[in-house]
Amino acid sequence: MGHGHGHRHSRWRPHSHDSADRVDHALETSRRGLRTLTWSFAALFVTAVAQLVLVLVTGSVALLGDTIHNFADALTAVPLGVAFLLGRRAATRRYTYGLGRAEDLAGVVVVLVVAASAVLVGYESVVRLVDPRPVGHPWVVAAAGVIGFAGNELVARYRIKVGREIGSAALVADGVHARTDGFTSLAVVVGAAGVAFGFPAADPIVGLGITVAIVFVLRDAAKEVFRRLLDAVDPASVELAERTAAEVDGVVDVRDLRMRWIGHHLRAELAVAVAAELTVRDAHTLAHEVEHRLVHAVPHLAAVVVHTEPASSGAARTPA
């Protein structure tokens, strides 16, 4: 019957009720993302305000830096929030896939903020190591550090959990960012303890150690975000999709499977070889079944385009 790529005769599009289900799911995941950002912003803002009060009591420059850092971290919710809102917009003639990729750009902003955090902490640590500064009420400073750590860790767990559940690499990266900031706050505690026991250099030394830790975390977050920008997907998801499609009765072969992330949802397209004698209606029904199986089997998969093409005469198999 000829080579398959030259004889693709049917493209299936989702029925209206399936499209409505996907839109509802997309809106729900975006709402979850926005709720997560709102609550985490509030938690970090309250944390930073509490630390600011203690800065006024102690006059600690290290704690002031951590406080400013936490205020800045709370504001990372802004680009992510904008991205989630943009992702809810309907596709247009210009942006035919919608604006879900804005979320990936927000992830880049988060990575840049994490990088800036590493630079800031490292710089302040070196400055304090070269030019030590007195710290009053070290145990109050330590308490403020504990507050900062607790606030950031709660936010980190919340963002990472929801980010993984809805497939948002940007939200996961922001959660990782909050976790590194918690360690920065914890460095304030260790440094304050060192000062209290007569070792003022403890603060900048621990700060340098935290800088190294942030760099390692930054590497992992940047890898995830930039993989998403380059349309990388988990190979296990590709294998699952191929296996699921191949198991559908009437499918002779699965070819040219491609998957990509649009925001926090996966989209896929593939070709399936079917018996050459199938009518267009039968090919449509079979493609519908392939799409149905894939959406239910592959996590975060929201849309599939299925091409049907005639199998070569020697490759055809009888459906079970």
Side-chain angles (χ1 to χ4, degrees):
M1 190 91 182
H3 296 294
H5 67 269
H7 294 82
R8 290 177 184 172
H9 63 278
S10 171
R11 171 174 291 186
W12 177 80
R13 295 180 183 272
H15 294 304
S16 60
H17 65 275
D18 292 330
S19 297
D21 289 342
R22 287 196 193 88
V23 170
D24 289 343
H25 179 65
L27 288 175
E28 177 56 30
T29 53
S30 293
R31 289 191 190 101
R32 286 193 66 191
L34 287 170
R35 283 198 301 268
T36 301
L37 291 172
T38 300
W39 284 107
S40 58
F41 170 82
L44 284 177
F45 189 80
V46 169
T47 297
V49 169
Q51 285 187 309
L52 180 60
V53 172
L54 296 180
V55 166
L56 297 177
V57 173
T58 64
S60 169
V61 176
L63 183 57
L64 176 61
D66 190 46
T67 303
I68 294 173
H69 195 181
N70 280 327
F71 273 119
D73 295 339
L75 295 178
T76 61
V78 174
L80 277 175
V82 171
F84 277 119
L85 289 173
L86 289 175
R88 295 169 65 173
R89 290 190 175 185
T92 65
R93 298 284 290 180
R94 181 178 295 276
Y95 299 101
T96 56
Y97 282 99
L99 297 175
R101 296 300 292 270
E103 194 172 318
D104 298 331
L105 296 178
V108 174
V109 173
V110 172
V111 167
L112 292 176
V113 172
V114 176
S117 300
V119 172
L120 176 62
V121 173
Y123 173 78
E124 289 295 331
S125 298
V126 171
V127 168
R128 278 181 271 146
L129 191 61
V130 174
D131 182 21
R133 302 173 187 176
V135 177
H137 308 288
W139 295 114
V140 176
V141 175
V146 170
I147 292 173
F149 173 77
N152 277 289
E153 181 61 20
L154 287 173
V155 167
R157 293 190 179 194
Y158 188 32
R159 286 180 175 176
I160 291 173
K161 177 179 179 293
V162 175
R164 287 175 176 167
E165 288 176 353
I166 68 174
S168 172
L171 191 55
V172 171
D174 206 29
V176 171
H177 176 204
R179 177 157 287 163
T180 63
D181 296 336
F183 291 139
T184 303
S185 296
L186 207 56
V188 174
V189 177
V190 177
V195 171
F197 288 107
F199 184 48
D203 187 23
I205 290 174
V206 171
L208 289 174
I210 294 300
T211 301
V212 174
I214 293 176
V215 169
F216 278 104
V217 174
L218 171 65
R219 180 195 61 183
D220 294 337
K223 186 184 299 184
E224 178 65 24
V225 169
F226 285 106
R227 278 179 177 172
R228 189 67 67 88
L229 283 172
L230 295 175
D231 286 333
V233 297
D234 186 355
S237 295
V238 177
E239 293 172 5
L240 175 60
E242 288 177 334
R243 186 169 63 250
T244 300
E247 290 173 351
V248 176
D249 290 339
V251 172
V252 177
D253 193 16
V254 178
R255 304 167 183 168
D256 303 328
L257 173 64
R258 293 180 176 85
M259 301 174 72
R260 70 188 305 190
W261 286 94
I262 303 292
H264 43 270
H265 296 288
L266 277 170
R267 291 177 179 266
E269 62 179 71
L270 71 157
V272 294
V274 301
E277 62 270 17
L278 286 183
T279 65
V280 172
R281 181 185 297 277
D282 290 337
H284 166 87
T285 301
L286 182 56
H288 188 182
E289 179 63 20
V290 171
E291 188 271 349
H292 177 79
R293 296 272 193 95
L294 287 174
V295 168
H296 284 82
V298 181
H300 306 300
L301 184 60
V304 184
V305 175
V306 180
H307 304 267
T308 59
E309 58 189 33
S312 60
S313 58
R317 72 185 186 197
T318 303

